């Protein structure tokens, strides 16, 4: 199986982490997002959305990070994605929540306008308004993560067992750190992220984005 990816992509890291931890062999095909390779005809033929990740399994091509994670977990029979109806539904629920609410407001609404030049708003006033709006919304979702999903007794987002939802959520939550956020205001999130970072493959999977984060140090940023 081949994965079209970029290591700085938040949506690729859940798949990279899953594959590395579960020992799923993937041929890694870099798509250079920083030179606009995603818009070149050869890649448009792979994904008309001009996005990574894309999984190629023989003749079968799959986009959407959440769908790819589920496909790989199911295909490899991973215990991270148990087949019990309600257990699986709970994992799907959290993954959908991350992909819609948290990703929209924390990543796109708050972090990316600060760390990626091409996401920055056109004027200082627009930028400040965006960050104000994004911060308030992101704080709300982090509170839900902290006090509902990770409430006392829950070491992981779906209970006491690590699941595919943790693999999916952690890279999206982690991006807040690139603005200098330390999650002290969300102690359960902080402790959970610490557990996720202890996964043996975390360092390698996050190497590129951490390297990028290091180049941002010293820039004034708003934290959540
Ligand atoms: N809904 C898609 C979103 C994928 C996505 O946003 N990919 C970003 C990287 S994290 C991308 O390829 N961006 C390229 C661009 O915006 O030109 C998924 O979950 O797979």
């Amino acid at each position: 199986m081949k994965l079209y990816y970029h290591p700085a992509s938040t949506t690729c890291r859940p798949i990279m982490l899953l594959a590395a931890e579960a020992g799923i062999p993937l041929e890694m095909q870099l798509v250079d997002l920083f030179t606009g390779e995603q818009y070149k005809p050869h890649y448009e033929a792979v994904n008309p959305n001009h996005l990574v990740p894309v999984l190629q399994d023989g003749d079968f091509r799959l986009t959407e990070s959440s769908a790819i994670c589920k496909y790989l977990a199911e295909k490899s029979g991973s215990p991270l994605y148990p087949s019990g109806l309600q257990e699986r539904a709970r994992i799907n629920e959290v993954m959908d929540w991350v992909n819609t609410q948290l990703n929209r407001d924390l990543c796109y609404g708050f972090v990316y306008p600060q760390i990626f030049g091409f996401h920055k708003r056109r004027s200082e006033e627009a930028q400040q308004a965006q960050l104000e709006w994004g911060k308030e919304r992101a704080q709300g979702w982090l509170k839900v993560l902290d006090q509902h999903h990770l409430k006392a007794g829950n070491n992981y987002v779906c209970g006491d067992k690590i699941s595919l939802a943790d693999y999916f959520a952690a890279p999206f939550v982690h991006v807040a750190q690139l603005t200098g956020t330390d999650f002290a205001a969300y102690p359960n999130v902080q402790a959970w992220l610490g557990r996720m970072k202890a996964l043996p493959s975390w360092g390698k999977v996050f190497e590129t984005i951490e390297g990028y984060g290091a180049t941002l140090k010293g820039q004034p940023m708003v934290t959540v």
Side-chain angles (χ1 to χ4, degrees):
M1 286 184 287
K2 183 197 277 193
L3 184 72
Y4 294 88
Y5 84 112
H6 192 286
S9 153
T10 311
T11 49
C12 290
R13 286 194 293 280
I15 302 164
M16 293 162 70
L17 193 61
L18 171 67
E21 289 293 322
I24 301 168
L26 289 179
E27 183 195 336
M28 303 299 281
Q29 175 74 52
L30 183 81
V31 180
D32 192 348
L33 301 182
F34 291 100
T35 60
E37 189 184 348
Q38 68 274 34
Y39 294 103
K40 300 262 165 69
H42 73 271
Y43 191 70
E44 190 174 62
V46 174
N47 186 1
N49 297 303
H50 310 117
L51 299 169
V52 289
V54 174
L55 182 76
Q56 185 79 47
D57 185 7
D59 291 340
F60 182 65
R61 189 174 280 161
L62 191 64
T63 65
E64 293 302 322
S65 53
S66 174
I68 294 171
C69 282
K70 289 166 185 148
Y71 180 83
L72 290 177
E74 175 98 48
K75 182 165 170 151
S76 63
S78 170
L80 291 167
Y81 199 43
S83 59
L85 181 65
Q86 292 185 357
E87 230 178 329
R88 183 167 281 200
R90 181 69 67 221
I91 293 169
N92 291 341
E93 176 193 39
V94 175
M95 290 174 78
D96 280 358
W97 178 83
V98 168
N99 214 356
T100 53
Q101 317 310 329
L102 191 80
N103 184 22
R104 182 188 61 200
D105 294 325
L106 177 65
C107 302
Y108 278 88
F110 183 69
V111 176
Y112 296 165
Q114 299 194 74
I115 68 166
F116 295 130
F118 57 99
H119 279 265
K120 197 166 178 219
R121 299 306 188 260
R122 213 184 320 182
S123 68
E124 195 47 41
E125 193 195 351
Q127 175 79 352
Q128 288 320 315
Q130 176 61 49
L131 297 187
E132 222 173 90
W133 194 89
K135 177 171 173 154
E136 195 184 329
R137 305 280 300 180
Q139 283 177 324
W141 302 130
L142 286 172
K143 197 168 154 199
V144 171
L145 186 61
D146 192 69
Q147 292 174 21
H148 173 66
H149 296 295
L150 292 166
K151 63 180 179 265
N154 278 10
N155 276 337
Y156 295 99
V157 295
C158 291
D160 60 354
K161 271 199 332 235
I162 191 165
S163 76
L164 194 57
D166 297 286
Y167 278 67
F168 193 70
F172 289 90
V173 174
H174 163 269
V175 296
Q177 264 191 217
L178 305 173
T179 64
T181 296
D182 63 4
F183 299 107
Y186 313 95
N188 294 328
V189 173
Q190 194 182 50
W192 163 77
L193 202 55
R195 285 190 280 280
M196 295 306 292
K197 285 183 180 179
L199 290 173
S201 314
W202 181 282
K204 186 86 198 127
V205 169
F206 284 74
E207 196 174 28
T208 300
I209 194 66
E210 289 288 4
Y212 180 69
T215 68
L216 304 171
K217 289 259 154 61
Q219 289 186 24
M221 294 219 207
V222 184
T223 60
V224 75

